[in-house]
Amino acid sequence: MSSQFTSPVARSESGVLAQHKVLRQTYTLLAMTLLFSGLMAVVSMMVAPPAMISMVCSIGAIVILMFVLPKFEEQAAGIGIVFLATGMLGFGLGPMLNYYVSVPNGGSVVATALAGTGGIFLGLSAYVLTTKKDFSFMGGFLMVGIMVLFGAIILSLFVNMPALSLAISAAMVLLMSGFILFDTSRIINGGETNYIRATVSLFINIFNLFTSLLHLLGVMGDD
């Protein structure tokens, strides 16, 4: 029978099932990439690569996600590319983690940042999943926030102001929290139908949230 005779209820149920499928696939892939990224971070800490290698890995991962992944995000090969990029980001964290672990109470700082990141992500995600609230209205505000933050980061490269660096990290925590709400809401409400794109968005949110919390906690601990 022609799809034009399909009842609205059936179409609605079909849409809900599709959204649940995207959500399930997203969280499955996200969990796997987070574990893989964490493993690569541990490997990096053990290998202790030069800072330049770490930077190359991080920049390379960003290039892959921006310019290579979009060509394969509708294919199974996209999953492999996501693992490659997230693994490189994890490997790039090694020198930073080694630094924090080497200072007094550095291990507790890393553990607290990790716990805080998990708590924020799970709390915000649970709120969206429970209320099913639409946070799409935050899109414009978040984009403006990113542009302002990017400008502040460029300024910090030329001006040595510890307060500015601290403000950037604090702003990043707020922005990434907003993006978690925004991106999760898009999945729940059908705004995002590709689980590979959704996974990358949430992974980047979590990654930036963790590194920013790590910096804030390190400063507050005088490390």
Side-chain angles (χ1 to χ4, degrees):
M1 183 178 293
S2 174
S3 59
Q4 64 179 325
F5 297 109
T6 304
S7 69
V9 173
R11 288 196 295 269
S12 177
E13 291 179 349
S14 176
V16 170
L17 290 175
Q19 292 164 16
H20 286 174
K21 181 180 179 181
V22 172
L23 183 66
R24 183 174 62 254
Q25 291 174 322
T26 297
Y27 278 102
T28 298
L29 183 57
L30 179 63
M32 295 172 66
T33 52
L34 286 172
L35 288 174
F36 182 64
S37 181
L39 176 61
M40 293 305 297
V42 172
V43 170
S44 179
M45 293 176 70
M46 296 174 62
V47 174
M52 181 59 66
I53 299 298
S54 172
M55 184 179 299
V56 168
C57 285
S58 298
I59 295 176
I62 295 173
V63 171
I64 289 173
L65 292 176
M66 291 181 63
F67 300 104
V68 179
L69 181 61
K71 300 177 182 179
F72 299 95
E73 61 188 12
E74 300 290 345
Q75 306 172 27
I79 297 176
I81 294 174
V82 170
F83 272 100
L84 172 63
T86 55
M88 291 172 66
L89 285 172
F91 191 84
L93 273 180
M96 179 189 296
L97 295 177
N98 274 337
Y99 165 75
Y100 279 100
V101 170
S102 67
V103 300
N105 298 320
S108 63
V109 169
V110 174
T112 302
L114 186 61
T117 300
I120 292 173
F121 174 73
L122 292 176
L124 294 177
S125 297
Y127 176 75
V128 178
L129 292 173
T130 301
T131 64
K132 294 181 172 55
K133 186 174 179 180
D134 186 0
F135 285 93
S136 60
F137 66 90
M138 296 177 62
F141 168 77
L142 292 172
M143 288 299 104
V144 172
I146 285 295
M147 290 189 292
V148 172
L149 188 61
F150 183 70
I153 291 174
I154 294 177
L155 178 62
S156 70
L157 297 177
F158 301 97
V159 179
N160 185 17
M161 294 178 57
L164 177 60
S165 178
L166 187 63
I168 289 173
S169 294
M172 183 69 78
V173 169
L174 294 176
L175 278 174
M176 292 305 107
S177 298
F179 270 111
I180 290 172
L181 291 172
F182 177 78
D183 291 330
T184 305
S185 171
R186 278 173 50 80
I187 300 171
I188 293 297
N189 295 289
E192 178 57 84
T193 59
N194 183 292
Y195 73 96
I196 291 180
R197 281 198 304 264
T199 298
V200 170
S201 295
L202 290 176
F203 182 93
I204 295 300
N205 297 341
I206 294 171
F207 182 88
N208 288 328
L209 179 60
F210 171 70
T211 55
S212 299
L213 278 177
L214 189 60
H215 181 228
L216 285 174
L217 293 171
V219 172
M220 289 188 292
D222 291 329
D223 293 329

